Amino acid sequence: MQTRILVNLLNMKKLRTLWHKTDSETGIQVIDQRQLPHQFITEDLHTVAEVFYAIREMVVRGAPLIGATAAYGVYFACLEAEKASNPDVYFAECIQKLRDSRPTAVNLFWAIDRQLRAIEAGGTWAEKAQLARQSADLIVEEDVEICRKIGEQGLPIIEKIYQDKKGERVNILTHCNAGMLGCIEWGTATSPIYQAHQKGIPVHVWVDETRPRNQGASLTAWELSQAGIPHTVIVDNAGGHLMQHGFVDMAIVGTDRTTRQGDVANKIGTYLKALAAKDNDVPFYVALPSTTIDWTIRDGLKEIPIEERTEAEVKFIPGWSVEHEKMLNVRLTPPDSPAANYGFDVTPARLVTALITERGICEANEEGMLSLFPEEKK
Ligand code: MRU
């Protein structure tokens, strides 16, 4: 079920990307991110099929939010299994369906596995459902706190640039949407930016439009304008030019999966920004919650599955028709030209200046990462 609501700008600070419809109802509500920035429409999710659709079709997106939504998918799977003729088989099928929704963001698999551990203590499906709901709520609250801490850890980097520039504004380039819309609150890459803005540091964000789904132009720009943070949307190809001319002080992006040696998968085009940053001595930071680290793999190029999506996302573009006052989808390419749509690319660790996590900042290599997460030593 869809609900259209007007965004109360004064309530933006309290806005989250996922919430319970009411305490007594089982369903959750999310923002349909495909409609932003043109319309603020919420979507009710009550079933595994609805969660699968929401993740696959990018009603919700961004690694931490995909994980949190899937966590409620496991809760719905328990509720549905209770009524199924063969609960164990039905539940296993639901879990596989959730795992198949999107391949790259490791938070999806992390959240499902954590939920499976959480429900082990339940004797009945009703008990398992209750445990799954509690655990999903905890994942949500933890994500808020983790993202807030990422902001705290990253803030000194912006403060230092501000001091070095003797009070001039700090220009930060970001790619895709690694903001609150990709998480629950704060965001990852945007969290240090929000916290710098709150401290009165003049920041300005170069927002890559991020073809083909335009998460930068639609989502990051929307978030930043709601927060009153100066920003400029640029076409994806502009970043190198801006860096060559000294218009970018730092780049900061999010990630969908980071390996134990610090290779980073993020939205397609991130690698090219990292290359340009290296060539121009622009520091290139990646902000991530520990839930996005895949400790089981090393070589990102060989081991991270890269999502390939429908060619329609490249050949058509949705937008707001001012004339018709509604969303329209228009074709960009000749109808018979094939298109390829790789969702992510891998930025090798050598191009990453540092990783910003909730536990601190480290070099993008195994030693650096283990200095913050010693429990992951083998
Ligand atoms: O395809 P998307 O929109 O889910 O991709 C999102 C990204 O690549 C984000 O940068 C990443 O998930 C970090 S979100 C905090």
Side-chain angles (χ1 to χ4, degrees):
M1 195 186 76
Q2 279 190 348
T3 312
R4 274 161 207 263
I5 53 174
L6 286 174
V7 187
N8 178 349
L9 297 191
L10 295 174
N11 279 336
M12 267 302 288
K13 277 191 189 138
K14 290 187 210 133
L15 184 69
R16 284 188 171 189
T17 52
L18 178 158
W19 58 92
H20 286 289
K21 206 170 166 199
T22 63
D23 284 349
S24 57
E25 284 179 80
T26 54
I28 54 165
Q29 286 190 313
V30 296
I31 304 164
D32 185 347
Q33 301 196 14
R34 300 168 304 176
Q35 310 293 331
L36 289 173
H38 313 296
Q39 320 185 80
F40 190 95
I41 294 178
T42 62
E43 203 56 67
D44 291 359
L45 308 179
H46 322 80
T47 64
V48 175
E50 286 169 354
V51 167
F52 174 80
Y53 175 86
I55 296 174
R56 167 67 66 95
E57 295 305 317
M58 297 174 67
V59 173
V60 294
R61 28 66 51 202
L65 182 58
I66 290 170
T69 310
Y72 288 99
V74 177
Y75 164 50
F76 299 148
C78 296
L79 293 173
E80 290 169 29
E82 198 183 7
K83 297 183 196 129
S85 54
N86 189 334
D88 290 338
V89 171
Y90 181 84
F91 183 75
E93 283 169 2
C94 288
I95 297 303
Q96 194 53 49
K97 195 171 172 70
L98 292 171
R99 286 191 198 281
D100 290 342
S101 55
R102 289 191 75 187
T104 303
V106 79
N107 301 60
L108 173 74
F109 309 97
W110 169 86
I112 293 171
D113 290 339
R114 176 163 157 172
Q115 289 292 74
L116 295 181
R117 288 194 300 276
I119 65 172
E120 271 169 14
T124 64
W125 285 103
E127 282 167 13
K128 286 180 191 293
Q130 194 175 352
L131 289 168
R133 181 175 169 128
Q134 282 164 3
S135 171
D137 290 351
L138 196 59
I139 286 173
V140 164
E141 295 309 323
E142 283 176 10
D143 188 70
V144 173
E145 187 53 14
I146 285 172
C147 287
R148 193 190 62 73
K149 283 187 180 152
I150 289 172
E152 265 177 23
Q153 301 291 352
L155 176 61
I157 297 171
I158 300 177
E159 284 175 323
K160 170 87 173 56
I161 295 173
Y162 176 54
Q163 280 156 15
D164 292 349
K165 288 187 80 176
K166 308 208 178 336
E168 265 182 57
R169 82 175 187 180
V170 180
N171 292 301
I172 304 169
L173 182 137
T174 192
H175 192 68
C176 196
N177 172 263
M180 65 89 73
L181 288 167
C183 306
I184 303 294
E185 279 182 19
W186 292 104
T188 55
T190 54
S191 187
I193 298 172
Y194 286 137
Q195 298 198 27
H197 177 71
Q198 281 176 3
K199 275 197 87 174
I201 297 174
V203 285
H204 165 261
V205 185
W206 295 110
V207 180
D208 284 353
E209 62 177 349
T210 318
R211 282 281 291 143
R213 300 265 319 199
N214 293 307
Q215 290 93 329
S218 303
L219 304 178
T220 307
W222 182 77
E223 270 190 35
L224 293 172
S225 58
Q226 299 296 332
I229 297 181
H231 61 281
T232 308
V233 179
I234 50 173
V235 296
D236 288 328
N237 300 329
H241 168 77
L242 294 175
M243 291 182 199
Q244 284 174 322
H245 290 274
F247 298 150
V248 182
D249 298 307
M250 65 184 280
I252 179 166
V253 300
T255 169
D256 290 79
R257 197 186 288 229
T258 299
T259 71
R260 61 188 292 134
Q261 71 180 19
D263 295 339
V264 169
N266 193 48
K267 183 51 55 193
I268 192 81
T270 303
Y271 168 56
L272 291 177
K273 294 298 140 59
L275 279 176
K278 186 80 168 175
D279 195 43
N280 292 285
D281 290 325
V282 171
F284 188 90
Y285 293 97
V286 179
L288 63 143
S290 51
T291 51
T292 304
I293 305 172
D294 185 346
W295 293 104
T296 67
I297 58 174
R298 279 203 158 72
D299 186 333
L301 272 180
K302 289 196 186 129
E303 295 179 275
I304 299 179
I306 298 296
E307 177 177 27
E308 290 182 47
R309 297 183 62 84
T310 165
E311 64 170 11
E313 292 179 353
V314 179
K315 296 178 70 165
F316 292 83
I317 193 161
W320 185 256
S321 162
V322 178
E323 191 188 341
H324 298 100
E325 293 190 348
K326 63 175 183 182
M327 295 272 286
L328 288 181
N329 215 19
V330 296
R331 193 174 58 227
L332 294 172
T333 63
D336 54 355
S337 290
N341 187 6
Y342 297 95
F344 299 89
D345 59 24
V346 173
T347 300
R350 65 186 155 77
L351 299 178
V352 176
T353 306
L355 302 172
I356 306 170
T357 78
E358 72 269 24
R359 290 206 194 161
I361 299 175
C362 69
E363 284 185 14
N365 55 43
E366 189 160 353
E367 204 186 337
M369 290 174 73
L370 290 175
S371 71
L372 296 181
F373 300 93
E375 69 274 23
E376 299 295 341
K377 277 186 190 147
K378 282 186 176 162

